[in-house]
Amino acid sequence: MQDYYAARAQEYDRVYAKPERQDDLRRMESWLPGVLAGRRVLELACGTGYWTRFYAAAAHSVVGIDSAQQTLDIARARLPAGVQLLQGDAYALPRFDAPFDAAFAGFWWSHIPRQRIGGFLQGLHAALQPGARVVFMDNRFVPGSSTPVAERDADGDSFQLRTLDDGSVHRVLKNFPSAEALLAAAEPFAAQASYHQWRFFWALEYTLR
């Protein structure tokens, strides 16, 4: 996954150019800043900063983490100087001076192996304070718009085959969880949780106990 996203850095944002997705994207771009307004946000898998740029001005502060230096370079060029960007691993977060009161990850949940979701959430929550707001956004599977699923493994994870401009083909983990599965994953940790759905995308929002 790290090699794939490093290689895809210059192509990363093209997925947001699909014409049929524009109405959803405008709604999400308007919705997200209000959810994170005034918060000290830890963003995981921030990539090129595509989503960061929509809410950064409304947030109190933002620390974004991504594993690929290539995408972080693009993010630095497009984001305000006050956004702190770090190269790191979403499964092994660094120690921070103070806990955050919000976390956000856009289009990351679908790349988490199903067996690792609980451990990942525990690691993320360790960097947050009680009452923190947590937001995940990702794709729904829509035939004709989504890349077909090429295979599934014994753990229930699904994979796509993606071809980059250089002709290389990559087997990429890409899950499409149901609303019920998302809410169930949050339930052990959440004081309250909400699921939001657009035609092509979903969002999971919850408040940490």
Side-chain angles (χ1 to χ4, degrees):
M1 287 294 296
Q2 292 180 355
D3 291 344
Y4 166 71
Y5 275 103
R8 185 188 163 192
Q10 296 300 323
E11 306 173 36
Y12 187 89
D13 290 350
R14 290 183 193 170
V15 67
Y16 299 120
K18 291 190 175 186
E20 71 273 18
R21 300 185 179 188
Q22 297 311 301
D23 287 346
D24 278 7
L25 290 170
R26 300 296 88 77
R27 294 186 180 98
M28 295 160 70
E29 291 159 9
S30 298
W31 172 77
L32 186 61
V35 179
L36 299 174
R39 302 269 178 165
R40 303 183 310 280
V41 183
L42 173 62
E43 181 176 350
L44 304 184
C46 64
T48 63
Y50 179 93
W51 289 101
T52 322
R53 61 182 175 165
F54 294 112
Y55 76 83
H60 178 275
S61 60
V62 180
V63 175
I65 293 180
D66 198 87
S67 64
Q69 188 60 54
Q70 293 86 341
T71 51
L72 287 172
D73 289 342
I74 296 171
R76 287 193 178 93
R78 79 178 347 162
L79 294 176
V83 174
Q84 183 180 1
L85 297 172
L86 305 173
Q87 187 173 11
D89 185 347
Y91 295 106
L93 294 173
R95 291 183 177 272
F96 298 99
D97 293 337
F100 297 86
D101 64 357
F104 169 67
F107 302 82
W108 162 247
W109 186 287
S110 57
H111 298 308
I112 306 173
R114 288 159 54 98
Q115 299 297 321
R116 298 191 70 176
I117 288 173
F120 161 74
L121 290 176
Q122 289 177 348
L124 169 60
H125 297 159
L128 307 178
Q129 66 184 41
R133 184 166 295 162
V134 183
V135 182
F136 293 95
M137 296 194 315
D138 218 311
N139 300 92
R140 300 180 63 220
F141 184 82
V142 179
S145 182
S146 302
T147 301
V149 172
E151 61 178 289
R152 290 182 172 84
D153 67 13
D155 292 325
D157 292 315
S158 57
F159 297 83
Q160 298 172 329
L161 296 179
R162 300 183 181 180
T163 304
L164 298 181
D165 285 353
D166 63 7
S168 61
V169 179
H170 301 259
R171 178 177 179 266
V172 177
L173 171 67
K174 184 71 174 180
N175 288 323
F176 297 93
S178 66
E180 293 77 13
L182 290 163
L183 291 168
E187 193 276 333
F189 312 103
Q192 58 183 27
S194 300
Y195 173 81
H196 307 273
Q197 181 174 294
W198 298 271
R199 181 183 176 193
F200 295 95
F201 306 101
W202 58 259
L204 174 67
E205 174 190 359
Y206 61 91
T207 302
L208 192 63
R209 285 200 183 111

